[in-house]
Amino acid sequence: MIRSLTVLRRRVHRHARTLAAVLLAALALAGAAAWSLRTQPAEMSYSSFSRAMADGALAKVSVSDGGLSVVEKSGATAFVRLPTGLLDSAFLDRLAGAGVDVDLTRHDGDLLGVLGAVASALLMGAVAVVMALQLDLRGRLSWPAVVKSVPSRFSDVAGQDEPKAEVAEIVTFLKDPAAFARVGARPPHGVLLVGPPGTGKTLLARALAGEAGVAFMAVAGSEFSAALVGMSKNRVARLFREARRRAPCILFIDELDSIGKKRGAGASAADREYDTTLNQLLVEMDGFEASTGVIVVGATNRVDVLDPALLRPGRFDRQVHVGLPLIAGREAILAVHSAHKPFAADVDLLTIARGTPGFSGADLANLVNEAAVLAAREGASLVTAAHFEGARKKLLMGLERRSLVLDDEERRLVAVHEAGHALCATLLPAADRVQSATIVPHGGALGMVLRLPERDRICVPLDRLRADLVVAMGGRAAEEAVFGPDKVTTGAASDIAHATDLATRMVAEWGMSPKLGMARVELAAGELPAFAREEVRNIVADAYRAARAIVEDRRDLLDRLCEALLERETLNAQEVAEICGEPRPGEGTQAPQRVA
Ligand code: ADP
Ligand code: MG
Ligand code: ZN
């Protein structure tokens, strides 16, 4: 019921539009006619007029504003200004005597003038409206956005080698769909790119089209949340019609979750509308023949909220994970975005990559740009490492939760805790070196010690794991050493979780518990058996004791680190090393570690 009414309304609306367009066109024509009528004939001097009258060359005159409108026998028209008072009966007799047809009806120029003005205003209005209608029409026709030849290539997508390899087959298919058919291979249907924002999912989809040399159609899921009932379903149908027409092509649906969330969540009209839209999408994806050459690429960062029906065979049956880049990936992305930029010799992309854990590709592109902006603002001709550091600080600041303000006591607590982590990390030879320590809140953590390994984790030796555990316990150990056992806080929760996870894997997976030896420990009902739990507790307790020993032995260093943190909020690698008096060349093999 609701639906048919709306459809009707839409029809009326559409007809009204056509009618308006026709009316406006007619008005425009009328205006143009009035305009041309209004145009004044050339002026004729009185003497030429007299001569023409004497020669009998005049056909007709009519009284007009301040003179006469003259039509000569040749057909030419003119206007003659008459001295006031001349237009008397004698003059008219002379005219009649010369065989001129005299029309005494006054043709007021003013009326024509007003008409003309109105007409021109209407004309201009009409032109404006017609242009607007055309624009609107073009807007409707240009949805979805289609790029016939995409310049992006796989080489533009850095640090995502696995995702690239996984979609490479689609390029093969799009280039020669028949080759798939010949060997009876099932052609790919839909690919779902899953990953956090800014990791290059859109870029990868574009590159896919670019590599295959096919058209790229892009829409966002949010474009389907239309105001009018029944419309988004039609949009889906239209989209796929268009895709089939453009085949071979890539049909990219960004933010797939905003159209593909699980159905049947509610019973409101909007929910029903939503369900019909998603159903239409499912129907359309099923409707593809293997050979159509349309590949649907979806992107989302929430695969868990998608309706399971979307992930069935023949739909988005292939998932490609596009994750945050690791060090090497970050370096490669920086390299892509640094091409043709004037960098000073002290800019080392690997160092920058190490200092930017958790940055997405988009963040890194932004970093390069920010650094260049800083350089430009200073009028520098080269972008230096200092510009990069400034840009990095600025971007990190955006990630910091400045709104979370700690009071002095809390700040002191966080400083002691972080100083404990930093001290252990610095004094333990096997631990990854501290890259920075801060008491500025980041994400969910109040403070953070960032340690940066030289390489991403592939294979970690036991001494490094043990050191990692001690560093994790360093925060709580410092709290206890400084404030006493009754004053320890909840701040170590994530440290304890991390240490427990690590110790659990050491015991259960990596055969690192002397007591249990090298046997894999199976979970019973999702839990470690009691004897293994005991071992995990022992490993973590050992680490805690080691951490306590470090912070108590070097209480002087702990206090200095703590004061420096309170004063400067953030300490970099060098500052930490200087305070601890041990500039230690860093090396390590673990993944970037944040200890909160
Ligand atoms: P997503 O779609 O995953 O949110 P985008 O593809 O829109 O991310 O990425 C936004 C921008 O960030 C890209 O246009 C590009 O400049 C940069 N970028 C992101 N990932 C990468 C990458 N892997 N390689 C190079 N540039 C990247
Ligand atoms: Mg995107
Ligand atoms: Zn901590």
Side-chain angles (χ1 to χ4, degrees):
M1 189 61 195
I2 297 172
R3 170 151 177 208
S4 57
L5 268 181
T6 352
V7 169
L8 188 68
R9 207 179 325 139
R10 277 176 55 212
R11 257 182 218 149
V12 169
H13 189 65
R14 205 181 296 152
H15 285 160
R17 259 225 260 232
T18 321
L19 203 64
V22 169
L23 270 175
L24 281 167
L27 270 173
L29 271 177
W35 186 265
S36 67
L37 266 180
R38 188 187 167 277
T39 49
Q40 297 280 341
E43 276 217 23
M44 193 185 219
S45 69
Y46 184 68
S47 41
S48 342
F49 169 73
S50 297
R51 221 176 301 126
M53 183 162 57
D55 291 346
L58 298 181
K60 180 182 174 183
V61 297
S62 46
V63 180
S64 178
D65 196 27
L68 291 174
S69 289
V70 179
V71 181
E72 295 187 45
K73 278 185 177 146
S74 66
T77 59
F79 175 78
V80 187
R81 223 168 271 287
L82 295 181
T84 32
L86 186 66
L87 201 63
D88 55 12
S89 54
F91 181 72
L92 292 174
D93 282 343
R94 262 177 68 207
L95 277 171
V100 182
D101 185 5
V102 182
D103 181 2
L104 284 179
T105 329
R106 275 191 78 86
H107 291 267
D108 241 84
D110 276 349
L111 182 64
L112 265 181
V114 168
L115 269 179
V118 169
S120 60
L122 279 174
L123 182 70
M124 277 157 71
V127 166
V129 171
V130 166
M131 271 169 66
L133 278 177
Q134 250 187 351
L135 267 182
D136 178 67
L137 198 66
R138 216 175 301 145
R140 287 156 145 262
L141 289 179
S142 68
W143 187 89
V146 181
V147 187
K148 286 199 188 104
S149 134
V150 187
S152 306
R153 293 292 180 273
F154 278 159
S155 57
D156 298 323
V157 191
Q160 299 289 5
D161 295 340
E162 270 183 48
K164 279 195 275 188
E166 283 177 62
V167 297
E169 173 198 322
I170 290 167
V171 175
T172 319
F173 169 70
L174 285 171
K175 277 188 172 157
D176 187 9
F180 266 66
R182 271 197 299 277
V183 296
R186 191 166 64 88
H189 235 203
V191 184
L192 191 56
L193 305 179
V194 184
T199 45
K201 297 182 294 297
T202 307
L203 192 61
L204 185 59
R206 293 182 71 93
L208 195 54
E211 290 282 340
V214 302
F216 181 74
M217 294 175 63
V219 294
S222 56
E223 287 170 39
F224 294 94
S225 39
L228 288 175
V229 178
M231 207 145 123
S232 37
K233 180 189 162 189
N234 293 344
R235 285 206 133 189
V236 173
R238 184 169 146 207
L239 178 66
F240 279 80
R241 233 183 359 255
E242 190 67 19
R244 269 184 285 257
R245 204 166 71 73
R246 302 264 181 187
C249 71
I250 296 280
L251 170 53
F252 180 63
I253 307 180
D254 210 350
E255 312 161 19
L256 185 67
D257 40 298
S258 66
I259 174 180
K261 277 196 294 281
K262 290 186 181 71
R263 284 165 297 176
S268 72
D271 293 328
R272 279 199 302 278
E273 166 73 358
Y274 180 84
D275 290 358
T276 19
T277 308
L278 177 52
N279 281 334
Q280 187 65 34
L281 177 63
L282 296 172
V283 167
E284 294 289 351
M285 288 201 74
D286 288 341
F288 274 162
E289 287 309 313
S291 53
T292 34
V294 177
I295 299 281
V296 189
V297 179
T300 182
N301 55 354
R302 298 288 317 272
V303 72
D304 54 308
V305 300
L306 291 183
D307 196 288
L310 266 177
L311 307 177
R312 290 214 192 103
R315 294 172 185 155
F316 291 103
D317 47 8
R318 194 171 308 196
Q319 284 183 30
V320 174
H321 287 265
V322 186
L324 287 173
L326 298 179
I327 292 179
R330 291 197 296 273
E331 190 187 6
I333 293 170
L334 285 166
V336 163
H337 289 276
S338 305
H340 316 303
K341 295 235 162 70
F343 283 172
D346 65 350
V347 174
D348 176 34
L349 296 185
L350 180 58
T351 306
I352 300 169
R354 281 206 194 109
T356 47
F359 275 50
S360 69
D363 293 333
L364 293 167
N366 202 4
L367 178 76
V368 174
N369 186 55
E370 282 292 336
V373 167
L374 280 181
R377 209 177 288 156
E378 284 177 13
S381 57
L382 295 177
V383 183
T384 65
H387 294 134
F388 267 99
E389 189 49 27
R392 192 180 75 108
K393 284 221 173 85
K394 186 177 166 196
L395 291 190
L396 277 174
M397 205 95 81
L399 308 174
E400 286 164 5
R401 290 190 311 168
R402 280 283 173 191
S403 56
L404 201 139
V405 183
L406 304 177
D407 66 28
D408 282 353
E409 200 183 330
E410 286 167 324
R411 272 184 95 233
R412 175 148 220 107
L413 242 157
V414 175
V416 165
H417 181 104
E418 302 307 332
H421 285 311
L423 184 64
C424 293
T426 309
L427 296 188
L428 286 171
D432 289 319
R433 86 188 138 139
V434 173
Q435 219 265 341
S436 69
T438 181
I439 57 168
V440 178
H442 285 73
L446 293 179
M448 185 187 321
V449 168
L450 202 58
R451 292 177 303 137
L452 290 174
E454 304 287 302
R455 296 192 283 124
D456 293 313
R457 168 172 17 213
I458 297 162
C459 168
V460 190
L462 180 57
D463 63 345
R464 197 171 299 277
L465 289 173
R466 286 210 182 110
D468 190 25
L469 284 170
V470 176
V471 173
M473 291 292 105
R476 166 63 72 84
E479 286 181 36
E480 196 181 337
V482 174
F483 300 109
D486 296 339
K487 295 283 189 228
V488 296
T489 68
T490 54
S494 68
D495 298 332
I496 292 170
H498 171 68
T500 310
D501 283 351
L502 203 59
T504 302
R505 299 188 72 186
M506 287 167 70
V507 169
E509 294 175 27
W510 301 330
M512 289 173 177
S513 148
K515 205 160 144 195
L516 302 185
M518 276 177 286
R520 189 185 161 83
V521 180
E522 297 297 337
L523 301 185
E527 285 247 325
L528 275 184
F531 62 90
R533 278 210 302 277
E534 186 62 33
E535 268 304 273
V536 170
R537 246 194 304 273
N538 287 340
I539 289 177
V540 178
D542 282 348
Y544 187 70
R545 263 192 299 280
R548 272 299 299 266
I550 291 174
V551 295
E552 275 164 19
D553 277 2
R554 301 312 310 263
R555 179 64 193 267
D556 54 330
L557 297 183
L558 183 72
D559 289 345
R560 280 167 62 192
L561 278 170
C562 178
E563 291 311 317
L565 275 171
L566 285 172
E567 195 186 303
R568 282 175 267 177
E569 291 203 321
T570 300
L571 301 176
N572 63 25
Q574 212 175 347
E575 290 163 331
V576 171
E578 265 164 27
I579 291 169
C580 297
E582 333 210 334
R584 193 167 62 79
E587 86 254 13
T589 51
Q590 276 170 258
Q593 288 270 355
R594 281 171 190 201
V595 187

